[in-house]
Amino acid sequence: MATISHDNHGLRLALRYLVLILVALIFVLPLLFMVVSSFKPDAQLLDDTSSMRAFLPVGDLSLTNYAAAFDRAPIRLFVMNSVLVTGITVALSLLICSLAAFSFTFLDWTGKGLLLSIILATLIVPFETIAIPLLMICSKLPWLGLDGFEWGWLNSYRVQIIPWIADGLTVFLFVQFFKDLPRDLIEAARAEGASWGQVYTRVVMPLSGPVIATAAILKFLVMYNQYLWPLIVVQEESYRPVMVGLQYFFQLNTAWGEIMAYLTLITVPVLAFYLVLQRSFIASIASTGVKG
């Protein structure tokens, strides 16, 4: 019986690893195909797609596709635009949403439960449904009696940043994390005469590394992959982000190797940002970051 039990355990372990490997391959293979293909000429790339050679760095490999991609489109400008807009938005979002969550969690004021519910309710509203109303607000600026084009609200960085600096998901993550912080620390700081501002800066935020990393990565992914909003508010190339730039790159180009090179290049900032914060992100997921 002991032998049968041992065999069953080994079989279950093997099946578990098999499932995990299959899941990992589903995520990794498209990325591997993209990177490997970016170094191949089109003729070889199309031939290799009929076999496992599509995932192997074999044959005539070179940096020709990268050089051609840089010549065909201002990729550096598109990447810099996205990194700039994303970086500023992430920083402002972390500040504003953490302050809001701090107020919801630690301060007593009338109506905070209702207001938090309204903010969280926005999570179920698809952005596509509010894109046009938001465009009308930004283009007409009715509360100021101004025209968005004349006053530079459209075709600018700020129209890509300001509508996104506050969101329900980031507030939710901070609120959930702050609820689990030891109340004794907050009460001790207050008893020592610390103001609420000092409690926020010197007690709460130094303990919030995991949720900051989680919120930063999620916000970075949303902002860096923005397509619809920049597409309708930015017409000038000088403010165009990478995803909108990708559309124009497709229109200009039918060379698959160059497209793979472009896709590989715009993936680098996302991977770099994740690698910097991955330890805190995984720690947050494993502990308190997404608890309901």
Short mmCIF file of all heavy atoms in Angstrom, two decimals, residues 125-143 149 154 159 163-164 226-235:
data_model
loop_
_atom_site.label_atom_id
_atom_site.label_comp_id
_atom_site.label_asym_id
_atom_site.label_seq_id
_atom_site.Cartn_x
_atom_site.Cartn_y
_atom_site.Cartn_z
N VAL A 125 -17.48 50.39 -14.72
CA VAL A 125 -17.83 51.18 -15.91
C VAL A 125 -16.68 51.08 -16.92
O VAL A 125 -15.57 51.54 -16.64
CB VAL A 125 -18.08 52.65 -15.55
CG1 VAL A 125 -18.45 53.44 -16.81
CG2 VAL A 125 -19.18 52.76 -14.50
N PRO A 126 -16.91 50.49 -18.10
CA PRO A 126 -15.84 50.43 -19.12
C PRO A 126 -15.44 51.82 -19.58
O PRO A 126 -16.31 52.70 -19.74
CB PRO A 126 -16.49 49.64 -20.26
CG PRO A 126 -17.69 49.00 -19.66
CD PRO A 126 -18.15 49.86 -18.55
N PHE A 127 -14.16 51.99 -19.79
CA PHE A 127 -13.69 53.31 -20.21
C PHE A 127 -14.29 53.72 -21.55
O PHE A 127 -14.54 54.91 -21.80
CB PHE A 127 -12.16 53.33 -20.32
CG PHE A 127 -11.63 54.61 -20.88
CD1 PHE A 127 -11.64 55.78 -20.12
CD2 PHE A 127 -11.16 54.67 -22.19
CE1 PHE A 127 -11.18 56.97 -20.65
CE2 PHE A 127 -10.69 55.86 -22.72
CZ PHE A 127 -10.70 57.02 -21.94
N GLU A 128 -14.55 52.73 -22.42
CA GLU A 128 -15.09 53.06 -23.75
C GLU A 128 -16.41 53.82 -23.66
O GLU A 128 -16.75 54.60 -24.55
CB GLU A 128 -15.30 51.77 -24.56
CG GLU A 128 -14.01 51.11 -25.04
CD GLU A 128 -13.28 50.37 -23.92
OE1 GLU A 128 -13.87 50.26 -22.82
OE2 GLU A 128 -12.15 49.92 -24.14
N THR A 129 -17.17 53.58 -22.58
CA THR A 129 -18.47 54.24 -22.46
C THR A 129 -18.35 55.70 -22.04
O THR A 129 -19.28 56.48 -22.24
CB THR A 129 -19.35 53.49 -21.44
OG1 THR A 129 -18.72 53.55 -20.15
CG2 THR A 129 -19.56 52.06 -21.85
N ILE A 130 -17.24 56.08 -21.43
CA ILE A 130 -17.09 57.47 -20.98
C ILE A 130 -16.05 58.23 -21.80
O ILE A 130 -15.77 59.39 -21.50
CB ILE A 130 -16.71 57.53 -19.49
CG1 ILE A 130 -15.34 56.86 -19.26
CG2 ILE A 130 -17.78 56.90 -18.62
CD1 ILE A 130 -14.81 57.09 -17.86
N ALA A 131 -15.48 57.57 -22.80
CA ALA A 131 -14.41 58.22 -23.58
C ALA A 131 -14.93 59.47 -24.29
O ALA A 131 -14.29 60.53 -24.26
CB ALA A 131 -13.83 57.23 -24.58
N ILE A 132 -16.09 59.38 -24.93
CA ILE A 132 -16.62 60.52 -25.68
C ILE A 132 -17.04 61.65 -24.73
O ILE A 132 -16.69 62.82 -24.98
CB ILE A 132 -17.78 60.07 -26.59
CG1 ILE A 132 -17.28 59.03 -27.61
CG2 ILE A 132 -18.37 61.28 -27.31
CD1 ILE A 132 -16.12 59.49 -28.44
N PRO A 133 -17.81 61.35 -23.64
CA PRO A 133 -18.10 62.45 -22.70
C PRO A 133 -16.84 63.10 -22.15
O PRO A 133 -16.78 64.33 -21.99
CB PRO A 133 -18.89 61.74 -21.59
CG PRO A 133 -19.52 60.57 -22.25
CD PRO A 133 -18.54 60.12 -23.27
N LEU A 134 -15.82 62.29 -21.87
CA LEU A 134 -14.56 62.86 -21.36
C LEU A 134 -13.87 63.72 -22.41
O LEU A 134 -13.30 64.77 -22.10
CB LEU A 134 -13.64 61.72 -20.92
CG LEU A 134 -12.36 62.10 -20.18
CD1 LEU A 134 -12.68 62.89 -18.92
CD2 LEU A 134 -11.55 60.85 -19.83
N LEU A 135 -13.96 63.28 -23.66
CA LEU A 135 -13.40 64.09 -24.75
C LEU A 135 -14.11 65.43 -24.85
O LEU A 135 -13.47 66.48 -25.04
CB LEU A 135 -13.52 63.33 -26.07
CG LEU A 135 -13.14 64.12 -27.33
CD1 LEU A 135 -11.68 64.51 -27.30
CD2 LEU A 135 -13.48 63.32 -28.58
N MET A 136 -15.44 65.43 -24.72
CA MET A 136 -16.20 66.68 -24.78
C MET A 136 -15.80 67.61 -23.65
O MET A 136 -15.68 68.83 -23.85
CB MET A 136 -17.70 66.37 -24.70
CG MET A 136 -18.22 65.56 -25.88
SD MET A 136 -18.09 66.44 -27.44
CE MET A 136 -19.31 67.72 -27.20
N ILE A 137 -15.60 67.05 -22.46
CA ILE A 137 -15.20 67.88 -21.32
C ILE A 137 -13.83 68.51 -21.58
O ILE A 137 -13.61 69.70 -21.36
CB ILE A 137 -15.18 67.04 -20.04
CG1 ILE A 137 -16.60 66.61 -19.66
CG2 ILE A 137 -14.53 67.81 -18.89
CD1 ILE A 137 -16.66 65.64 -18.49
N CYS A 138 -12.90 67.69 -22.06
CA CYS A 138 -11.53 68.19 -22.26
C CYS A 138 -11.43 69.14 -23.46
O CYS A 138 -10.61 70.06 -23.46
CB CYS A 138 -10.57 67.02 -22.46
SG CYS A 138 -10.32 66.03 -21.00
N SER A 139 -12.26 68.91 -24.48
CA SER A 139 -12.14 69.74 -25.68
C SER A 139 -12.85 71.07 -25.55
O SER A 139 -12.45 72.06 -26.15
CB SER A 139 -12.68 68.98 -26.89
OG SER A 139 -14.06 68.69 -26.72
N LYS A 140 -13.91 71.12 -24.74
CA LYS A 140 -14.67 72.36 -24.63
C LYS A 140 -14.36 73.12 -23.34
O LYS A 140 -14.57 74.33 -23.28
CB LYS A 140 -16.18 72.06 -24.68
CG LYS A 140 -16.63 71.42 -25.99
CD LYS A 140 -16.33 72.32 -27.18
CE LYS A 140 -16.83 71.67 -28.48
NZ LYS A 140 -16.49 72.50 -29.66
N LEU A 141 -13.88 72.40 -22.34
CA LEU A 141 -13.60 73.03 -21.05
C LEU A 141 -14.74 73.97 -20.64
O LEU A 141 -14.54 75.17 -20.44
CB LEU A 141 -12.28 73.80 -21.11
CG LEU A 141 -11.05 72.99 -21.50
CD1 LEU A 141 -9.82 73.90 -21.50
CD2 LEU A 141 -10.84 71.84 -20.56
N PRO A 142 -15.98 73.44 -20.54
CA PRO A 142 -17.14 74.32 -20.34
C PRO A 142 -17.09 75.08 -19.02
O PRO A 142 -17.62 76.18 -18.92
CB PRO A 142 -18.33 73.34 -20.36
CG PRO A 142 -17.74 72.02 -19.97
CD PRO A 142 -16.36 72.02 -20.55
N TRP A 143 -16.44 74.51 -18.00
CA TRP A 143 -16.40 75.21 -16.72
C TRP A 143 -15.51 76.45 -16.75
O TRP A 143 -15.58 77.29 -15.87
CB TRP A 143 -15.93 74.26 -15.62
CG TRP A 143 -14.55 73.73 -15.83
CD1 TRP A 143 -13.38 74.26 -15.38
CD2 TRP A 143 -14.19 72.58 -16.57
NE1 TRP A 143 -12.33 73.51 -15.79
CE2 TRP A 143 -12.78 72.47 -16.53
CE3 TRP A 143 -14.91 71.61 -17.29
CZ2 TRP A 143 -12.10 71.44 -17.16
CZ3 TRP A 143 -14.22 70.60 -17.90
CH2 TRP A 143 -12.84 70.52 -17.84
N PHE A 149 -8.71 73.04 -27.94
CA PHE A 149 -7.66 73.12 -28.95
C PHE A 149 -6.89 74.43 -28.83
O PHE A 149 -5.66 74.45 -28.90
CB PHE A 149 -8.27 72.98 -30.35
CG PHE A 149 -8.64 71.57 -30.69
CD1 PHE A 149 -9.95 71.14 -30.64
CD2 PHE A 149 -7.66 70.65 -31.04
CE1 PHE A 149 -10.29 69.83 -30.95
CE2 PHE A 149 -7.99 69.34 -31.35
CZ PHE A 149 -9.31 68.94 -31.30
N LEU A 154 -5.87 69.67 -25.84
CA LEU A 154 -5.73 68.52 -26.72
C LEU A 154 -4.37 68.63 -27.41
O LEU A 154 -3.76 69.69 -27.45
CB LEU A 154 -6.86 68.48 -27.74
CG LEU A 154 -8.26 68.40 -27.13
CD1 LEU A 154 -9.30 68.28 -28.23
CD2 LEU A 154 -8.39 67.23 -26.16
N VAL A 159 -3.37 66.22 -21.36
CA VAL A 159 -4.65 65.58 -21.62
C VAL A 159 -4.53 64.06 -21.55
O VAL A 159 -5.53 63.36 -21.39
CB VAL A 159 -5.20 66.01 -23.00
CG1 VAL A 159 -4.47 65.30 -24.13
CG2 VAL A 159 -6.69 65.74 -23.10
N PRO A 163 -6.70 63.03 -16.74
CA PRO A 163 -7.88 62.18 -16.53
C PRO A 163 -7.57 60.84 -15.86
O PRO A 163 -8.48 60.13 -15.44
CB PRO A 163 -8.41 61.97 -17.95
CG PRO A 163 -7.88 63.11 -18.74
CD PRO A 163 -6.54 63.38 -18.16
N TRP A 164 -6.27 60.49 -15.73
CA TRP A 164 -5.91 59.15 -15.26
C TRP A 164 -5.19 59.15 -13.91
O TRP A 164 -4.74 58.11 -13.45
CB TRP A 164 -5.01 58.47 -16.30
CG TRP A 164 -5.71 58.27 -17.58
CD1 TRP A 164 -5.74 59.13 -18.64
CD2 TRP A 164 -6.53 57.17 -17.95
NE1 TRP A 164 -6.52 58.63 -19.65
CE2 TRP A 164 -7.02 57.42 -19.25
CE3 TRP A 164 -6.90 55.98 -17.32
CZ2 TRP A 164 -7.86 56.53 -19.92
CZ3 TRP A 164 -7.73 55.09 -17.98
CH2 TRP A 164 -8.19 55.37 -19.27
N GLN A 226 -1.98 52.34 -23.13
CA GLN A 226 -3.11 53.17 -23.56
C GLN A 226 -3.17 53.27 -25.07
O GLN A 226 -2.16 53.53 -25.73
CB GLN A 226 -2.96 54.58 -22.96
CG GLN A 226 -3.38 54.68 -21.53
CD GLN A 226 -4.86 54.98 -21.41
OE1 GLN A 226 -5.61 54.89 -22.37
NE2 GLN A 226 -5.29 55.34 -20.23
N TYR A 227 -4.37 53.10 -25.61
CA TYR A 227 -4.52 53.22 -27.07
C TYR A 227 -5.70 54.13 -27.43
O TYR A 227 -5.53 55.12 -28.14
CB TYR A 227 -4.73 51.84 -27.69
CG TYR A 227 -5.05 51.91 -29.17
CD1 TYR A 227 -4.06 52.24 -30.09
CD2 TYR A 227 -6.34 51.68 -29.63
CE1 TYR A 227 -4.35 52.33 -31.45
CE2 TYR A 227 -6.65 51.77 -30.98
CZ TYR A 227 -5.65 52.09 -31.88
OH TYR A 227 -5.93 52.19 -33.22
N LEU A 228 -6.90 53.81 -26.91
CA LEU A 228 -8.10 54.52 -27.34
C LEU A 228 -8.05 56.01 -27.00
O LEU A 228 -8.29 56.86 -27.86
CB LEU A 228 -9.35 53.89 -26.71
CG LEU A 228 -10.68 54.57 -27.06
CD1 LEU A 228 -10.91 54.55 -28.56
CD2 LEU A 228 -11.83 53.90 -26.32
N TRP A 229 -7.70 56.33 -25.74
CA TRP A 229 -7.71 57.73 -25.32
C TRP A 229 -6.68 58.57 -26.08
O TRP A 229 -7.02 59.63 -26.64
CB TRP A 229 -7.52 57.82 -23.81
CG TRP A 229 -7.55 59.22 -23.27
CD1 TRP A 229 -6.54 59.88 -22.65
CD2 TRP A 229 -8.65 60.14 -23.32
NE1 TRP A 229 -6.92 61.14 -22.30
CE2 TRP A 229 -8.23 61.33 -22.70
CE3 TRP A 229 -9.94 60.08 -23.83
CZ2 TRP A 229 -9.05 62.45 -22.57
CZ3 TRP A 229 -10.77 61.19 -23.70
CH2 TRP A 229 -10.32 62.35 -23.09
N PRO A 230 -5.42 58.15 -26.15
CA PRO A 230 -4.47 58.93 -26.96
C PRO A 230 -4.87 59.02 -28.42
O PRO A 230 -4.61 60.03 -29.08
CB PRO A 230 -3.14 58.17 -26.79
CG PRO A 230 -3.30 57.36 -25.57
CD PRO A 230 -4.76 57.01 -25.49
N LEU A 231 -5.51 57.98 -28.93
CA LEU A 231 -5.90 57.98 -30.34
C LEU A 231 -6.89 59.10 -30.65
O LEU A 231 -6.82 59.73 -31.72
CB LEU A 231 -6.53 56.63 -30.72
CG LEU A 231 -6.97 56.46 -32.17
CD1 LEU A 231 -5.76 56.46 -33.09
CD2 LEU A 231 -7.77 55.18 -32.34
N ILE A 232 -7.79 59.42 -29.70
CA ILE A 232 -8.82 60.42 -29.98
C ILE A 232 -8.44 61.83 -29.50
O ILE A 232 -9.09 62.78 -29.88
CB ILE A 232 -10.18 60.01 -29.36
CG1 ILE A 232 -10.08 59.87 -27.83
CG2 ILE A 232 -10.69 58.74 -29.97
CD1 ILE A 232 -11.38 59.49 -27.18
N VAL A 233 -7.42 61.95 -28.66
CA VAL A 233 -7.06 63.30 -28.17
C VAL A 233 -5.72 63.79 -28.71
O VAL A 233 -5.36 64.95 -28.48
CB VAL A 233 -7.03 63.35 -26.62
CG1 VAL A 233 -8.40 63.04 -26.06
CG2 VAL A 233 -5.96 62.44 -26.05
N VAL A 234 -4.97 62.92 -29.38
CA VAL A 234 -3.65 63.33 -29.89
C VAL A 234 -3.61 63.07 -31.39
O VAL A 234 -3.76 61.94 -31.84
CB VAL A 234 -2.52 62.54 -29.20
CG1 VAL A 234 -1.19 62.85 -29.86
CG2 VAL A 234 -2.47 62.86 -27.72
N GLN A 235 -3.42 64.15 -32.14
CA GLN A 235 -3.28 64.02 -33.58
C GLN A 235 -1.85 64.32 -34.05
O GLN A 235 -1.46 63.91 -35.13
CB GLN A 235 -4.24 64.98 -34.30
CG GLN A 235 -5.70 64.55 -34.30
CD GLN A 235 -6.40 64.86 -33.00
OE1 GLN A 235 -6.25 65.97 -32.49
NE2 GLN A 235 -7.15 63.92 -32.46
#
